[in-house]
Amino acid sequence: MKKEIHVAGDPKGTAEQFIDFLKDFCAGKERVTIALSGGSTPKLLFDLLAAAPKTLDWSKLHFFWGDERCVPPDHEESNYKMTFDHLLSHIDMPAENIHRVRGEADPVTEADRSGKELLAFCTVVNDLPSIDLNILGMGDDGHTASIFPHQMELLAAEQLCAVATHPTSDQKRVTLTGPVINNSHTVAFLVTGEKKAQKIRSILGEEADASDYPASHVSPRAELRWFLDQGAYALVER
């Protein structure tokens, strides 16, 4: 597995570096499946892409989501709504290219449906769907997608998508499981902010406590890239 680390001075620079990578990644491909993430850094990324809507040929891209809160699509906590408000409403992407998780549905039923859609649409490798590019974030506690430290079993779950529970709010979420994340061709982490610095140091330095953080268990088939700002990277070489 190829591994690369990209460091920019601030979150905007991180998003700009990722856009350069994304353009190269999509170039020459007839179809690209991409799993999106929620959070502040993707929001900035979406704003930058929306400001230059012809950066990519959106007709070739298919959007999935790495996780979704179990709320309606017009709810302020919906990852889909955030993507719609900051990107989808500003670009010309065919409706059939948008494969949202139905947060308003029964979580168990929707996890099963989402998994089947991935399997039917994506390239199948090792009997699992293989997403071309999986964009992930990392929480202050080291979680990624909606795999939290108290549900590490989701890293090895048999389901393609599963129901996760937020550790403090008890909110239900539908998330990709570890085997599907790791069967992606390429994973790109977008992580910014000093609050993430200690976890980034542990994970990139393969320190003893790194295994406690779900993000440290991500190991895609071909390529792993970390897009960081200086705040998140600050402790790595100390």
Side-chain angles (χ1 to χ4, degrees):
M1 178 190 70
K2 179 181 178 182
K3 181 177 177 180
E4 291 195 18
I5 300 170
H6 309 262
V7 182
D10 57 21
K12 184 173 184 288
T14 298
E16 290 171 339
Q17 283 190 341
F18 177 77
I19 289 172
D20 288 340
F21 161 73
L22 181 60
K23 288 190 291 187
D24 290 340
F25 186 87
C26 295
K29 295 182 173 70
E30 288 302 312
R31 189 182 77 168
V32 183
T33 54
I34 300 177
L36 302 176
S37 173
S40 58
T41 306
K43 184 185 295 185
L44 177 57
L45 167 67
F46 297 158
D47 285 340
L48 291 174
L49 287 170
K54 295 185 178 180
T55 300
L56 298 165
D57 183 349
W58 302 105
S59 68
K60 295 183 178 182
L61 275 54
H62 285 258
F63 284 166
F64 295 83
W65 275 260
D67 67 326
E68 181 58 281
R69 297 169 175 87
C70 293
V71 297
D74 59 353
H75 193 284
E76 287 302 318
E77 294 184 1
S78 166
N79 284 338
Y80 168 79
K81 175 177 169 52
M82 187 272 280
T83 309
F84 180 84
D85 289 348
H86 291 267
L87 179 60
L88 295 177
S89 60
H90 302 278
I91 62 173
D92 187 17
M93 173 176 268
E96 60 268 24
N97 291 23
I98 301 168
H99 308 264
R100 76 174 182 91
V101 178
R102 299 169 186 170
E104 70 276 19
D106 171 74
V108 174
T109 302
E110 180 57 14
D112 182 65
R113 189 205 66 81
S114 294
K116 288 177 179 176
E117 183 172 9
L118 282 166
L119 192 60
F121 193 85
C122 295
T123 301
V124 176
V125 179
N126 302 320
D127 297 323
L128 293 171
S130 182
I131 297 165
D132 294 324
L133 175 60
N134 202 327
I135 303 170
L136 293 174
M138 186 190 75
D140 294 350
D141 60 356
H143 84 266
T144 193
S146 279
I147 302 179
F148 295 94
H150 75 288
Q151 287 186 303
M152 298 287 277
E153 67 274 10
L154 295 181
L155 291 167
E158 293 184 0
Q159 308 103 299
L160 304 179
C161 298
V163 180
T165 305
H166 189 276
T168 56
S169 69
D170 290 331
Q171 181 188 60
K172 299 297 183 184
R173 301 182 177 189
V174 174
T175 183
L176 296 178
T177 59
V180 175
I181 291 173
N182 286 336
N183 204 48
S184 302
H185 179 278
T186 298
V187 167
F189 274 100
L190 273 65
V191 183
T192 59
E194 294 179 357
K195 290 182 178 180
K196 314 290 179 69
Q198 185 272 323
K199 301 291 191 302
I200 291 295
R201 182 185 66 185
S202 295
I203 292 170
L204 296 184
E206 299 180 357
E207 296 179 2
D209 63 343
S211 62
D212 295 336
Y213 312 134
S216 74
H217 296 267
V218 172
S219 180
R221 292 193 298 111
E223 187 175 27
L224 175 63
R225 290 180 181 253
W226 289 85
F227 291 85
L228 309 168
D229 74 342
Q230 193 57 50
Y233 190 72
L235 300 179
V236 171
E237 295 181 346
R238 294 183 182 178

